[in-house]
Amino acid sequence: MDYTFIDSADGVEYIPNQTQWKPEQGIFNIKPYKVQFPREKIALRSWTMWRYKEALPFHDQRCFNISLGEGGTPLLPLNADDPNILVKLDYLMPTGSFKDRGAAVLISKARELGVKEVLADSSGNAGTAIAAYCARAGIKSYIYVPENTSERKLAQMKAYGAEIHKIAGSREDTAIAAKRTVEEEQLFYASHVYNPFFHEGTKTFAFEIWEQMNYQIPDQLILPVGNGTLLLGAYIGFQNLLESGMIQRLPKLVGVQAENCAPIAQAFHRKRDINPVSNTGTLAEGIAIADPVRGSQIMKAVKTTGGSIITARENEIETARGELSSKGFYVEPTTAATYAAFKNYKQANLSKEAKVVMSLCGSGLKK
Ligand SMILES: N[C@@H](CCOP(=O)(O)O)C(=O)O
């Protein structure tokens, strides 16, 4: 069986290749394929995301698995006296963010295709992850970033050997510059937004939670949302579990945006289509996406699960970060924004019995 892409607009199928990053009409999604969860076998494997290999898009015999030991992150109570609010520590990944899940699958696929050079654009964490997995795979990486990207993320990318291109203007300007170069130079576009193999990696977040909760699922998941790679990955992952009969329902997906850059939250609450917004400035650089390419897919996933999109107030992000640090969790502002929004949401929307998992997805050492 080959793992193929389909055009979101007309369902036409495409075989992934080195240069095509977009179909004729819409964007690429992965064509659903058969997944399995042999629990006894999985339980005997090492604690990385590759333990779910029957649910990943690789043929065993052809798998060029590029790995830095990603996945298998702890799931802990946020507070020792409340077993119902859990945090998933994806900031403990090899490069310090959940993006390693997606990069591991995407760069393994690039390697399978024989790619020698890739280009990616990022607000920081995805670029860092792509740079690291490219280093591991012996692939040259060019990373386009907004000029105000934090110095520590840039230093990390450089250390992995990436060639950095700082682009003036907004995050969207960076994406435009990246796509132009990809087209001109006919490069492999290692995009966490456009390439659906990235979501095939982030979906392992869902599998791990299911296994760590003793094959149960939470009632609600609280996740940061910029381009939605974690939220969409989680959605696909829980769908995989549901369709395989491993679970009987989906958890509610609750996405968090920064109040100062919240195109999906606005559309969700005003019950209208997503319109691009202007980013009026936020510490949460990782979710400052003014015009998300997969915005309507994110909305659909949230609505299908009965979830919601909530926002973090700017003046609450630093305090939330301090509070998490005081509990021992040192995270970056984007992750603190998730917690800031969750605290307000919890008061009005959650019963004491509700089981919740919140993602702590980016390390404080990055900013
Ligand atoms: N980009 C973020 C977190 C949100 O992920 P996204 O795929 O929804 O943009 C980060 O850098 O941590």
Side-chain angles (χ1 to χ4, degrees):
M1 189 226 322
D2 272 317
Y3 300 98
T4 55
F5 292 166
I6 46 178
D7 186 333
S8 62
D10 57 16
V12 171
E13 284 187 40
Y14 293 76
I15 308 280
N17 66 30
Q18 292 203 9
T19 52
Q20 188 172 13
W21 58 275
K22 201 178 170 316
E24 290 278 310
Q25 309 282 335
I27 44 179
F28 280 139
N29 290 325
I30 195 147
K31 184 179 174 195
Y33 57 95
K34 184 158 180 50
V35 296
Q36 288 176 319
F37 297 91
R39 279 174 39 174
E40 293 74 22
K41 284 189 192 164
I42 291 171
L44 296 173
R45 296 179 188 149
S46 66
W47 244 114
T48 74
M49 61 177 237
W50 300 95
R51 68 202 263 111
Y52 310 103
K53 63 179 182 175
E54 292 86 355
L56 292 172
F58 294 94
H59 300 280
D60 247 2
Q61 65 280 17
R62 282 204 267 134
C63 179
F64 295 99
N65 170 345
I66 305 299
S67 177
L68 292 164
E70 53 290 327
T73 55
L75 184 69
L76 297 178
L78 175 65
N79 298 305
D81 60 355
D82 182 357
N84 286 339
I85 311 286
L86 303 172
V87 284
K88 177 86 169 142
L89 308 190
D90 265 15
Y91 71 91
L92 298 178
M93 287 282 191
T95 77
S97 98
F98 78 89
K99 295 278 187 352
D100 292 1
R101 296 182 186 276
V105 170
L106 179 53
I107 299 306
S108 293
K109 281 290 170 188
R111 170 84 178 271
E112 214 175 77
L113 288 169
V115 167
K116 301 277 184 283
E117 296 180 315
V118 312
L119 188 150
D121 57 295
S122 164
S123 62
N125 284 330
T128 307
I130 295 290
Y133 287 82
C134 279
R136 181 79 174 161
I139 293 174
K140 174 78 194 157
S141 63
Y142 304 95
I143 312 290
Y144 282 42
V145 292
E147 59 189 346
N148 58 355
T149 302
S150 70
E151 282 306 319
R152 290 194 201 162
K153 288 177 184 166
L154 294 175
Q156 199 181 354
M157 289 176 213
K158 273 188 205 146
Y160 295 132
E163 189 177 301
I164 314 267
H165 293 251
K166 287 191 192 175
I167 307 297
S170 66
R171 172 68 182 85
E172 284 63 39
D173 293 321
T174 301
I176 291 166
K179 286 184 265 193
R180 193 185 310 124
T181 310
V182 161
E183 289 292 343
E184 284 168 5
E185 313 274 329
Q186 287 291 287
L187 287 167
F188 181 87
Y189 189 21
S191 170
H192 59 296
V193 180
Y194 285 95
N195 194 312
F197 282 133
F198 200 90
H199 305 102
E200 289 297 298
T202 55
K203 76 180 184 182
T204 58
F205 177 81
F207 304 160
E208 288 179 16
I209 290 172
W210 162 72
E211 205 182 349
Q212 287 170 308
M213 292 184 74
N214 202 17
Y215 310 108
Q216 303 297 312
I217 57 162
D219 298 305
Q220 307 210 16
L221 268 178
I222 316 292
L223 307 168
V225 175
N227 278 307
T229 58
L230 184 57
L231 188 140
L232 290 172
Y235 181 63
I236 296 167
F238 284 113
Q239 287 279 10
N240 283 175
L241 289 165
L242 186 70
E243 282 157 14
S244 315
M246 297 291 126
I247 58 176
Q248 271 62 57
R249 62 180 172 89
L250 296 171
K252 288 184 181 178
L253 299 183
V254 178
V256 176
Q257 299 218 283
E259 195 173 65
N260 287 353
C261 189
I264 307 172
Q266 286 184 13
F268 186 86
H269 293 290
R270 293 176 195 167
K271 298 188 179 19
R272 59 158 169 71
D273 288 343
I274 298 171
N275 295 323
V277 296
S278 58
N279 171 6
T280 55
T282 176
L283 288 172
E285 62 182 7
I287 48 175
I289 305 296
D291 189 10
V293 171
R294 294 188 187 266
S296 55
Q297 291 186 357
I298 296 167
M299 284 272 264
K300 187 170 168 227
V302 168
K303 284 184 182 167
T304 304
T305 64
S308 185
I309 302 281
I310 59 178
T311 53
R313 290 183 205 121
E314 208 50 36
N315 62 357
E316 294 178 349
I317 296 177
E318 268 306 333
T319 313
R321 190 181 190 202
E323 225 176 273
L324 284 173
S325 299
S326 73
K327 297 174 194 293
F329 305 114
Y330 189 50
V331 298
E332 65 169 305
T334 301
T335 299
T338 308
Y339 181 50
F342 168 69
K343 287 204 312 172
N344 296 329
Y345 174 74
K346 180 172 175 253
Q347 279 182 344
N349 299 280
L350 284 176
S351 70
K352 251 198 118 29
E353 296 71 43
K355 284 242 176 236
V356 177
V357 172
M358 178 170 53
S359 163
L360 300 186
C361 67
S363 167
L365 299 175
K366 284 168 174 275
K367 191 163 181 178

